[in-house]
């Protein structure tokens, strides 16, 4: 749970902190108990956190005869220890809701989310509420080509002494680490990507999959990094994407393709779950089309006429693959099926040779020379399920009916030809495509997402760029009436002053992305006017650092002081001056000074920002219902799920009494009262704690600073 002061002053993160947290969550039985003590003020404090019992773990392995692997290869690079540390370090950013945008009708009830900010900070916030919640992740990160603008920039807020103590780094390693800053080397790129992919792995469901676009510059490193993070056994394969656009002015082979590496969270769970989902999805879609066609044909048509009509429809209109094209017949119930031979060319001695009885002539049917593929018992079940196709009389050998619903799956091919252009997709919307280098085609992402999702799943893209992923999801939802939801994140990168986009009024990349999404939604609604409940809106949030002046007030605040509050810390978090598109210009003294492309007013109060930041860090998704209740002078925010009440603005004694009355009379089911410590003077805080302790059984107060 986010306590700003604790994060800013007591960061005890080690390189393996995040890994140990995962182990503690998944294997709690191998951790010793935490040790607590009572301080002078009567508060219970943690003295020593429980540790991982490696001997107990090794003993359990021996009991189950599991061999410990002692050889193999690992990925090492300058900056790896630091990247591991960055994974576990808490973010010092806050989540600022774009109240003006989110209050619009199309966005208010939308399940889609757009986050503007550095994706490492965004992922750390999502980690608290969306772990094991995402079905598909697609990312198109910087390729580190040398001309794509990627450089590794880090504040390196640890001193050399900290790096030596925390990471056990030598001076030579520290020097090499600091040299990464401002570079675009392989090690710099890996240091940048590693913590982001580590957190992404945690966000995926066990049935989830991640697709990573990359080219030849970092393909090898990316595959090795994914193997280490996800496990080599979870690599699902690589798609070679033929862009038909060879690179010029290169030495050696002119590359005209890129790669999309697919990795699952758990290949065994993924394989079973996704095959079942795809089978059901495709079967239902095809069966519905078959039934629609069957119902539309003239009642005078014979079944043969219908099958002929349907066969032509499958082959010509749908343009399906060979495996699907074989399912070219429908029965009286509208079921799509494929007739196949039941002869058994191998091991005929294990198969039945008994004749079947023809249902019309009541005579024994012909039998394949080498018998049936099935045993007598299996054949009886097929007959019972009406899955045997008989000929016009007993002289024809019966055949097996394979229903589409029992055998249909969809596979993603390893080769993909780009029949469309990502730049053209953007241009169709009336936007300037030259801002984005190599945007991905909507059709490509549609195929990836459709192959891995059902109609109600969640797709994340934290290198959103032009927003192609959102358009692909919306087009799929329009196509099959789906309810897929997307979460997009991109940085508010400043657009070049010399670009055509800048001349038209755009100042940052995220502005164009959101405009592209809005235009895509409008176009889709025009193309599908019959759509009902189509979600083309999204909620928008900025993820930004806390202002330096606010940090000083937080760090210097003494919660034990009896003095009356004189400063309003809450308003420091207001989103009325969110600075976007940071860049640097030289001053008269040749010093680089930060500038901003734009300052926006989101309409968010400081209370809105603190509440939203707390909610997501308490594990609540961005769509959690929150009830704001007016007391005497101030508000309390109530979340029924979890029975939590949040007090952020300055409270009076009358507000305390009103809240306690609501809880005591069971008008609010509250178990935890979260209090923003800066908003309470000593007397009011003492009154709240004492009254809760004496009057409300089972309710506790948690103070955050």
């Amino acid at each position: 749970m986010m306590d700003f002061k604790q994060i800013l002053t007591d960061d005890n993160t080690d390189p393996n902190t995040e890994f140990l947290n995962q182990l503690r969550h998944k294997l709690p039985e191998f951790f010793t108990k935490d040790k607590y003590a009572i301080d002078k003020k009567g508060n219970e404090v943690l003295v020593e956190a429980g540790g991982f019992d490696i001997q107990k773990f090794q003993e359990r392995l021996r009991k189950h005869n599991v061999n410990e692997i002692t050889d193999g290869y690992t990925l090492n690079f300058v900056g790896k220890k630091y990247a591991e540390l960055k994974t576990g370090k808490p973010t010092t950013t806050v989540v600022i809701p774009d109240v003006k945008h989110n209050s619009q009708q199309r966005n208010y009830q939308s399940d889609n989310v757009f986050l503007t900010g550095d994706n490492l900070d965004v992922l750390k916030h999502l980690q608290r509420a969306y772990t094991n919640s995402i079905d598909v992740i697609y990312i198109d990160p910087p390729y580190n080509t040398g001309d794509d603008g990627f450089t590794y920039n880090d504040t390196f807020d640890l001193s050399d002494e900290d790096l030596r103590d925390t990471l056990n780094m030598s001076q030579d390693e520290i020097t090499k680490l600091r040299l990464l800053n401002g570079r675009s080397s392989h090690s710099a790129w890996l240091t940048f990507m590693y913590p982001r992919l580590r957190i992404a792995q945690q966000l995926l469901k066990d049935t989830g999959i991640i697709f990573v676009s990359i080219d030849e510059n970092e393909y090898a490193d990316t595959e090795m990094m994914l193997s280490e993070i996800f496990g080599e056994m979870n690599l699902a394969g690589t798609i070679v994407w033929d862009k038909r656009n060879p690179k010029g002015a290169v030495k050696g082979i002119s590359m005209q393709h890129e790669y999309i590496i697919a990795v699952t969270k758990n290949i065994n769970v993924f394989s079973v779950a996704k095959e079942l989902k795809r089978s059901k999805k495709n079967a239902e879609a095809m069966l519905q089309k078959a039934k629609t066609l069957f119902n539309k044909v003239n009642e005078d048509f014979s079944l043969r006429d219908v099958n002929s009509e349907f066969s032509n429809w499958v082959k010509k209109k749908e343009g399906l693959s060979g495996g699907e094209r074989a399912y070219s017949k429908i029965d009286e119930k509208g079921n799509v099926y494929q007739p196949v031979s039941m002869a058994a060319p191998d091991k005929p001695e294990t198969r039945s040779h008994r004749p079947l009885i023809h249902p019309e002539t009541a005579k024994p049917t012909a039998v394949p020379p080498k018998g049936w593929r099935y045993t007598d018992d299996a054949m009886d079940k097929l007959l019972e399920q009406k899955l045997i196709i008989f000929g016009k009389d007993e002289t024809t050998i019966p055949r097996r009916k394979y229903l589409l619903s029992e055998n249909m799956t969809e596979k993603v091919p390893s080769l993909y030809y780009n029949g469309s252009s990502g730049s053209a997709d953007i241009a169709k919307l009336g936007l300037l495509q030259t801002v984005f280098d190599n945007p991905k085609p909507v059709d490509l992402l549609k195929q990836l997402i459709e192959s891995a999702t059902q109609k109600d799943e969640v797709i994340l893209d934290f290198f959103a760029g032009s927003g192609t992923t959102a358009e692909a999801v919306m087009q799929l939802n329009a196509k099959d009436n789906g309810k897929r939801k997307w979460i997009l994140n991109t940085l508010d990168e400043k657009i070049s002053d010399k670009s055509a986009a800048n001349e038209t009024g755009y100042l940052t990349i995220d502005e164009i992305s959101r405009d592209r999404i809005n235009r895509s939604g409008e176009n889709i609604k025009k193309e599908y006017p019959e759509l009902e409940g189509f979600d083309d809106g999204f909620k928008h949030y900025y993820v930004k650092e806390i202002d330096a002046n606010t940090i000083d007030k937080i760090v210097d605040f003494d919660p034990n002081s009896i003095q009356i509050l004189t400063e309003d810390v809450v308003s420091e978090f207001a989103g009325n001056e969110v600075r976007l598109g940071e860049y640097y210009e030289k001053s008269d003294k040749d010093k680089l000074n930060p500038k901003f492309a734009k300052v926006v007013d989101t309409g968010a109060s400081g209370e809105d920002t603190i509440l939203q930041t707390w909610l997501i860090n308490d594990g609540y998704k961005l769509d959690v219902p929150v009830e704001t209740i007016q007391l005497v002078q101030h508000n309390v925010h109530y979340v029924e799920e979890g029975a939590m009440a949040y007090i952020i603005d300055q409270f009076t004694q009358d507000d305390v009494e009103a809240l306690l009355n609501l809880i005591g009379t069971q008008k609010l089911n509250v178990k935890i009262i979260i209090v923003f410590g800066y908003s309470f003077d000593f007397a009011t805080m003492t009154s709240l704690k004492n009254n809760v302790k004496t009057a409300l059984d089972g309710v506790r107060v948690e103070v955050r600073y």
Side-chain angles (χ1 to χ4, degrees), residues 393-663:
D393 57 37
E394 70 279 358
T395 61
T396 304
I397 297 176
R399 303 176 72 187
R400 165 79 155 91
K401 178 192 288 189
Y402 273 102
L403 294 180
L404 177 71
S405 56
E406 64 179 299
N407 198 43
M408 194 62 186
T409 59
E410 180 183 353
K411 299 288 187 180
V412 179
S414 62
L415 294 174
Y416 181 87
Y417 163 62
N418 176 29
S420 61
S421 164
S423 296
D425 290 334
I426 296 175
K428 289 177 184 176
L429 299 170
L431 292 167
L432 293 163
Q433 69 272 27
T434 54
V435 176
F436 301 98
D437 296 326
N438 195 27
K440 296 300 178 286
V442 173
D443 285 346
L444 171 64
L445 268 65
K446 281 171 61 178
Q447 180 168 337
L448 293 177
I449 295 168
E450 187 174 24
S451 71
T453 65
Q454 289 199 95
K455 296 181 180 181
D456 59 349
E457 298 188 333
V458 182
I459 297 91
L460 167 67
D461 182 351
F462 53 88
F463 283 100
S466 66
T468 307
T469 300
E471 181 174 355
V473 172
M474 289 192 294
Q475 285 195 17
L476 279 176
N477 285 342
K479 173 185 173 184
D480 60 13
N481 199 29
K483 301 296 180 183
R484 299 173 188 84
K485 297 172 279 291
W486 53 261
I487 302 175
L488 262 61
N489 163 223
T490 195
L491 189 64
D492 51 310
E493 180 183 348
K494 182 183 179 296
I495 297 171
S496 170
D497 292 333
K498 298 178 181 179
S499 69
N502 184 272
E503 293 177 3
T504 59
Y506 296 111
L507 297 176
T508 58
I509 291 294
D510 65 302
E511 286 183 292
I512 305 179
S513 301
R514 295 197 300 276
D515 192 15
R516 189 253 180 95
I517 294 168
N518 288 330
R519 296 187 186 207
S520 299
E522 292 298 328
N523 278 10
I524 291 170
K525 287 190 293 187
K526 290 177 182 178
E527 185 178 355
Y528 297 89
E530 73 283 0
L531 282 176
E532 294 183 3
F534 176 66
D535 187 357
D536 66 326
F538 58 91
K539 292 186 174 67
H540 180 218
Y541 304 87
Y542 291 98
V543 174
K544 290 293 177 181
E545 290 281 351
I546 302 173
D547 184 82
N549 292 329
T550 306
I551 290 177
D552 291 339
K553 291 180 181 179
I554 290 173
V555 173
D556 295 339
F557 181 79
D558 180 7
N560 298 312
S561 174
I562 304 179
Q563 65 185 11
I564 298 175
L565 293 174
T566 58
E567 288 191 289
D568 176 15
V569 179
V570 174
S571 62
E572 298 282 339
F573 292 90
N576 58 335
E577 290 188 354
V578 178
R579 295 172 293 184
L580 305 176
E582 185 175 9
Y583 64 104
Y584 294 87
E585 290 182 351
K586 285 188 175 182
S587 67
D588 294 336
K589 297 180 180 180
D590 267 358
K591 291 183 178 180
L592 290 175
N593 292 319
K595 301 288 184 180
F596 298 94
K598 190 175 186 179
V599 176
V600 299
D601 180 3
T602 67
S605 65
E607 192 168 357
D608 292 329
T609 298
I610 295 170
L611 177 63
Q612 186 60 73
T613 305
W614 276 357
L615 286 171
I616 195 167
N617 281 274
D618 285 341
Y620 292 112
K621 292 182 172 60
L622 290 164
D623 59 354
V624 64
V626 180
E627 182 181 357
T628 298
I629 301 169
Q630 174 70 43
L631 297 176
V632 180
Q633 295 186 41
H634 300 96
N635 298 327
V636 63
H637 306 282
Y638 172 60
V639 182
E640 185 175 5
E641 178 189 341
M644 298 179 74
Y646 293 88
I647 303 173
I648 298 171
D649 205 358
Q650 291 190 13
F651 247 41
T652 65
Q653 184 62 39
D654 290 339
D655 292 314
V656 171
E657 292 175 4
L659 175 61
L660 296 180
N661 182 61
L662 288 174
I663 299 173

Side-chain angles (χ1 to χ4, degrees), residues 332-377:
E332 292 85 350
K333 296 181 180 180
N335 292 320
V336 186
Y337 71 90
Q338 173 192 17
V340 297
S341 171
M342 293 195 299
D346 56 338
K347 299 182 180 180
E349 68 279 0
T350 64
R351 302 295 185 244
S352 170
H353 286 71
R354 84 172 194 204
L356 304 179
I357 303 302
H358 195 280
E360 299 294 332
T361 66
K363 295 180 180 180
T365 63
V367 178
K370 295 184 179 181
W372 307 111
R373 290 182 180 271
Y374 305 95
T375 62
D376 287 344
D377 289 342

